[in-house]
Amino acid sequence: MTDAPVGGDPAEGPAGGRGERKLTFPSALTVLAVVTVAVWLLAFLVPSGQYDRDGSGAPVEGTYHRVDSGQSFVDRLNDLFLSPVNGLYGIQDEKTSLVAPDNVGALYGSAGVFLFVLAIGAFITVVFATGALDRGIGRLAHRLRERGALLIAGVMAVFSVLGTVEGFAEETLGFYGLIVPLMLALGYDRMTAVGVIILGAGVGVLCSTVNPFATGVASSAAGISLGDGIVLRFLMWCVLTGVTVAYVIRYATRVRRDPGRSLSGFLPGDREQSATEAAEVPGLTGLHKAVLVTTALVFAFMIFSVVPWAGALTGRADAEPYGFELGWSFPQLAALFLCAAVLVGLVARMGEQRLSSTIIQGAADFVSPALVILLARGVTTIMNNSKITDTVLHSIEGVVKGTSSGLFAVIVFLVNLPLAFLIPSTSGHATLAMPILAPLADFAGVPRAVVVTAWQAASGWMNLWVPTTAVTIGGVALAKVGYDRYLRFVWPLLAVLAVLICVFVGLGAALT
């Protein structure tokens, strides 16, 4: 999950004592706190204005006009003070459109998404506590240890599937101890192991189909269903995963034939390992198999519950829903994953005490990304109450006005690249950007689902290489590979993926 917390004190020296402080990039929480204050200050300078709204509440193109925000300095100061609270459970007044925690109207805050993140955090932590997922991947790797290319494809496919359905990212850090020795034993190098792990999971996150931390949060912020646009995202996932797997296999095969072409080089002892030395991984027990099946069924049911099947199968967004469609959203999904966490614990016979503590620990571990979401939503409440959201939207409208739908989708991808660098948290980035990007899609005649796909592709593409993500910088450190060498390895693939992303989002916008 790309928002999972990462421990460690940047002031600690390599031996655990106090050393020289190193310059580190601030956390997503710090970045968003700075953004909150900056937006609050800018609201004094940006003129207030608004669009006329249609029956669904969407802005009507060409109707922007200046208005008086009606806020005093005390009102603005109160908005800054309450922005995190409003970001969680602020209520938007039906008449004035102002957001405050004691209003009467519709929920504007992200309480539903906040609880959903905690619930899926509890579920994922329980699954990992059973040891079933680690053991399953370990067994797959051991069984395919004598068929190198198939092993690389198999492990990368599993990581990619986990990435696309649940944002599997930081969790991969635990697999370096298994994958690196196995790749070396098969005659590959450490860079091959890095590619298998970082790129396998990363391309899945990049092409998230129902990843709740990327697609889910962005869809919620855009006001659409999690299942909207899933066909385009699935096709994109198939193609980009295939390309990424082929890229890593091509490199690995080249290194195996000629070790001198390795980009990472070999440490003392690397070349002396043999396939017979690959550690035996204990087999799956009946409980492990039951946990894996239960986990797969939970995610399959989640996909079934959120997909608008009538629209997906007929190609018409306004198609009458089938009788079996559930149309679930974040409240139902939060309840699903809480129940699923208990179910997995019961299947694994964890016991009441261990299961309870694991659920609590899982929710606690995911408080950080949940807080990122409400802070980002708090920024939008400041913009809403000072009535500058439509002003910002109007300024961007002039830039994209007259562009083709395909070009608009590509612009959305490109614009989000620097934002993804500044805010590596996918959920925070989505909550902050989507309130502006989604209405722009309406102006351009592009489905909001395409904008969600373009946004998450930008976030995922950046997270394959930027040093602000623990997945990349931590992964190369665990594999003992230089970050500069990793960049040399990955940049041709990044170029290919960027072109493919632009093709997919451009065609997706033009054909829908």
Side-chain angles (χ1 to χ4, degrees), residues 1-2 4 124 128 166-175 366 471:
M1 197 280 292
T2 52
I124 291 172
F128 270 97
E166 63 100 341
F168 192 78
E170 268 85 358
E171 297 87 345
T172 61
L173 296 175
F175 288 94
F366 281 69
V471 177

Side-chain angles (χ1 to χ4, degrees), residues 130-225:
T130 67
L133 191 58
D134 304 57
R135 186 78 63 87
I137 294 175
R139 288 301 300 169
L140 173 66
H142 187 75
R143 286 192 176 188
L144 298 177
R145 65 191 182 280
E146 296 183 3
R147 288 173 282 181
L150 189 58
L151 169 62
I152 291 172
V155 174
M156 289 186 72
V158 171
F159 283 165
S160 184
V161 169
L162 293 171
T164 194
V165 299
E166 63 100 341
F168 192 78
E170 268 85 358
E171 297 87 345
T172 61
L173 296 175
F175 288 94
Y176 282 88
L178 169 68
I179 302 299
V180 171
L182 190 56
M183 291 296 115
L184 293 173
L186 294 176
Y188 303 124
D189 64 351
R190 293 173 179 270
M191 190 67 77
T192 302
V194 170
V196 167
I197 299 173
I198 293 181
L199 299 181
V203 75
V205 175
L206 187 158
C207 303
S208 295
T209 49
V210 290
N211 171 11
F213 303 103
T215 316
V217 175
S219 297
S220 173
I224 60 175
S225 164

Side-chain angles (χ1 to χ4, degrees), residues 50-53 59-60 62-65 390 393-394 397 443:
Q50 64 185 28
Y51 285 93
D52 294 337
R53 255 59 181 179
V60 178
T63 62
Y64 173 82
H65 55 281
D390 284 3
L393 181 59
H394 176 64
E397 177 192 352
F443 295 161

Side-chain angles (χ1 to χ4, degrees), residues 10 20 103 113 131 143 196 209 245 261 268 278 300 308 345 397 407 428 502:
E20 293 184 3
N103 279 350
V113 184
R143 286 192 176 188
V196 167
T209 49
V245 170
R261 302 185 70 179
E397 177 192 352
L407 179 59
C502 290

Side-chain angles (χ1 to χ4, degrees), residues 60-81:
V60 178
E61 185 177 6
T63 62
Y64 173 82
H65 55 281
R66 296 286 178 85
V67 295
D68 181 10
S69 69
Q71 285 194 307
S72 65
F73 179 78
V74 173
D75 292 332
R76 291 175 183 266
L77 196 61
N78 187 60
D79 279 345
L80 176 63
F81 179 64

Side-chain angles (χ1 to χ4, degrees), residues 215-394:
T215 316
V217 175
S219 297
S220 173
I224 60 175
S225 164
L226 176 59
D228 286 342
I230 194 171
V231 174
L232 173 64
R233 294 194 295 268
F234 177 74
L235 293 175
M236 188 171 162
W237 173 74
C238 290
V239 173
L240 269 63
T241 298
V243 169
T244 304
V245 170
Y247 181 83
V248 175
I249 290 177
R250 178 177 176 271
Y251 169 82
T253 304
R254 187 177 62 195
V255 169
R256 195 175 193 180
R257 284 199 304 260
D258 181 5
R261 302 185 70 179
S262 168
L263 292 176
S264 60
F266 296 91
L267 298 178
D270 283 356
R271 300 296 295 153
E272 284 70 38
Q273 294 194 36
S274 65
T276 57
E277 294 173 342
E280 174 71 35
V281 178
L284 290 171
T285 66
L287 287 179
H288 287 144
K289 294 177 182 178
V291 168
L292 291 175
V293 170
T294 303
T295 303
L297 290 176
V298 168
F299 279 109
F301 183 76
M302 179 191 76
I303 295 171
F304 170 79
S305 68
V306 300
V307 172
W309 292 101
L313 296 178
T314 64
R316 294 189 298 108
D318 58 347
E320 185 71 22
Y322 297 137
F324 62 81
E325 289 187 31
L326 296 179
W328 279 13
S329 188
F330 288 101
Q332 295 87 351
L333 292 178
L336 169 67
F337 280 104
L338 282 176
C339 293
V342 175
L343 177 60
V344 168
L346 293 176
V347 169
R349 301 175 188 172
M350 294 180 69
E352 185 273 332
Q353 289 290 331
R354 186 184 174 204
L355 176 57
S356 298
S357 62
T358 304
I359 289 176
I360 293 170
Q361 183 61 52
D365 287 344
F366 281 69
V367 165
S368 176
L371 288 174
V372 165
I373 291 171
L374 69 88
L375 278 181
R377 191 60 170 170
V379 174
T380 66
T381 65
I382 292 175
M383 296 176 65
N384 175 85
N385 287 358
S386 58
K387 297 184 179 179
I388 66 170
T389 302
D390 284 3
T391 301
V392 175
L393 181 59
H394 176 64

